[in-house]
Amino acid sequence: MSKERVHILGICGTFMGGLALMGKEKGIEISGCDENIYPPMSDHLKDMGIEIIEGYDSSDLPVADYFVIGNSISRGNPALEYLLSKKSNLISGPEWLYDYVIKDKKVIAVSGTHGKTTTTAMIAWIFEDNNIDVGYLIAGKPKDFEKSARLGSEDIFVIEADEYDTAFFDKRSKFIHYKPDTLILNNLEFDHADIFPDITYIFREFHHLLRTLKKEAQIIFPNDDSNISNINWITQVCINSGICYPPQEAHMDRGDDGEFVGKLDTKPGYSYINWKFIIEMENGSESHIPDVGFGWRVWSDCWFDNGTWGGPETYCQDDDSSLPGFTITLVLASITMAALMIR
């Protein structure tokens, strides 16, 4: 029976190089290609007997069972276009890592803007110093280990969990694939301006990560290291689309545990709530969630409160019989709202 063959596009990146090392350790025939071939990762891979092809000429591609696509590879790359035309088996690096290495492991994932590589290496070394042969993937060449990644014989795996995107066909952060048992969050600041317009987009990726954790998972974070100084939120309680109570702005209180908490008093018979968060950072900058408009449905510039129409627009008048721009549907809906409010 022949060995499984895997070819990695973008093999000289610190993450993809780590995958190559573990694939080699698993007995898989590993090769790869890259156009930025330079130390230390190029030397590291060659020392481990892994073939590296320079460039992305499709004629140099070997026959392989799977082609692992690095996130530096985009449409227009000649090797990628050839593989797409041939309907070859493509898989992202994080997906391959989960399926082939960490799916049955207890995963310790180190995330955050700064210190991921150092913290991952320190945790791996603590296990090593106690003669516990854990697996690890460190996005760099650590000083005290022979390799930047290994499988390990124990059921524990320590990984540097990056928020950068996965691949050209999967724009989620890489760490969404890892499903950690323990998540370490060092800190959170704005980074990767080439793919994230502002820090709220990074917040969203971490929110998605937390949503994927099992209920037994542990999260370790410094609750005194927040770059958020204040959160205000604007809410508008609505009965039907276009018929809402006046918007209200409130301040969210920060508890002793570092969490921001807000309370909203709803109205009788409400069907949905428009919302917007205004996040003030310690450096004086400000972010909005969502960045444009308001969340959920339709923000209303006209509202109906205590029998009176109001709002900043000229068509929002006290006499609803003379409201230009409002259809009979809206008038009927206002009667429905009044009935709901009476109940």
Side-chain angles (χ1 to χ4, degrees):
M1 184 177 178
S2 60
K3 280 186 177 181
E4 183 177 4
R5 176 75 184 264
V6 170
H7 188 76
I8 301 175
L9 277 67
I11 193 171
C12 287
T14 53
F15 174 77
M16 303 300 282
L19 299 187
L21 296 173
M22 289 187 291
K24 180 84 172 179
E25 190 179 345
K26 286 180 70 70
I28 299 171
E29 189 176 351
I30 298 288
S31 61
C33 55
D34 210 317
E35 59 186 3
N36 297 312
I37 301 176
Y38 48 81
M41 188 53 70
S42 60
D43 293 343
H44 192 31
L45 294 173
K46 289 176 182 177
D47 290 343
M48 298 298 164
I50 295 172
E51 178 189 5
I52 304 175
I53 300 169
E54 186 169 4
Y56 295 108
D57 192 324
S58 60
S59 64
D60 294 329
L61 288 172
V63 175
D65 298 287
Y66 281 97
F67 293 88
V68 182
I69 309 300
N71 64 0
S72 64
I73 308 300
S74 57
R75 293 302 301 262
N77 179 291
L80 173 61
E81 295 300 328
Y82 175 82
L83 294 173
L84 289 171
S85 296
K86 293 296 183 181
K87 297 185 178 180
S88 301
N89 294 325
L90 307 184
I91 190 171
S92 71
E95 188 178 4
W96 185 90
L97 173 64
Y98 180 77
D99 290 345
Y100 281 78
V101 179
I102 66 176
K103 185 175 183 179
D104 298 320
K105 299 271 191 177
K106 295 176 182 176
V107 177
I108 301 173
V110 181
S111 66
T113 308
H114 307 294
K116 291 187 296 293
T117 303
T118 302
T119 305
T120 306
M122 290 172 64
I123 294 172
W125 182 252
I126 289 170
F127 283 112
E128 180 78 6
D129 197 48
N130 284 275
N131 298 313
I132 302 173
D133 184 34
V134 302
Y136 62 80
L137 194 160
I138 302 166
K141 181 63 173 68
K143 178 180 179 181
D144 294 312
F145 289 103
E146 180 185 0
K147 299 186 294 183
S148 62
R150 75 180 183 200
L151 297 175
S153 59
E154 299 286 343
D155 66 345
I156 299 172
F157 195 92
V158 186
I159 184 169
E160 180 171 337
D162 185 11
E163 69 271 20
Y164 209 80
D165 60 11
T166 295
F168 80 92
F169 53 85
D170 184 353
K171 306 313 288 183
R172 296 173 298 170
S173 291
K174 292 201 288 286
F175 55 38
I176 204 72
H177 295 274
Y178 302 155
K179 300 178 174 61
D181 297 89
T182 299
L183 173 65
I184 298 172
L185 175 55
N186 282 338
N187 43 64
L188 194 54
E189 295 180 8
F190 180 58
D191 198 8
H192 306 304
D194 54 326
I195 63 170
F196 296 124
D198 59 55
I199 196 171
T200 62
Y201 287 80
I202 299 176
F203 290 160
R204 182 182 62 185
E205 295 302 319
F206 277 88
H207 172 74
H208 290 166
L209 172 61
L210 296 178
R211 296 279 290 182
T212 65
L213 298 182
K214 62 184 183 180
K215 64 181 181 180
E216 300 88 358
Q218 294 180 313
I219 304 173
I220 301 172
F221 65 97
N223 61 9
D224 61 344
D225 184 23
S226 172
N227 59 3
I228 300 174
S229 61
N230 186 46
I231 298 180
N232 292 320
W233 63 334
I234 303 173
T235 58
Q236 187 180 43
V237 178
C238 299
I239 303 297
N240 278 306
S241 181
I243 300 181
C244 305
Y245 289 90
Q248 296 181 350
E249 183 169 353
H251 175 72
M252 300 188 78
D253 297 318
R254 187 171 187 176
D256 295 336
D257 59 359
E259 293 185 355
F260 287 89
V261 179
K263 182 180 179 181
L264 174 65
D265 293 325
T266 58
K267 304 290 184 179
Y270 81 96
S271 59
Y272 66 94
I273 299 172
N274 291 317
W275 53 269
K276 187 177 189 73
F277 292 100
I278 302 172
I279 302 172
E280 298 173 1
M281 318 305 290
E282 290 180 349
N283 63 7
S285 63
E286 187 177 275
S287 297
H288 292 191
I289 303 176
D291 58 330
V292 177
F294 291 82
W296 191 236
R297 291 195 181 180
V298 180
W299 185 265
S300 177
D301 286 327
C302 282
W303 52 79
F304 188 76
D305 188 32
N306 293 324
T308 303
W309 285 98
E313 302 296 337
T314 56
Y315 56 73
C316 299
Q317 302 177 21
D318 290 337
D319 182 6
D320 54 359
S321 63
S322 60
L323 287 174
F326 284 92
T327 65
I328 188 66
T329 304
L330 184 58
V331 175
L332 291 173
S334 69
I335 296 172
T336 303
M337 183 193 72
L340 288 171
M341 291 175 63
I342 292 171
R343 288 192 301 175

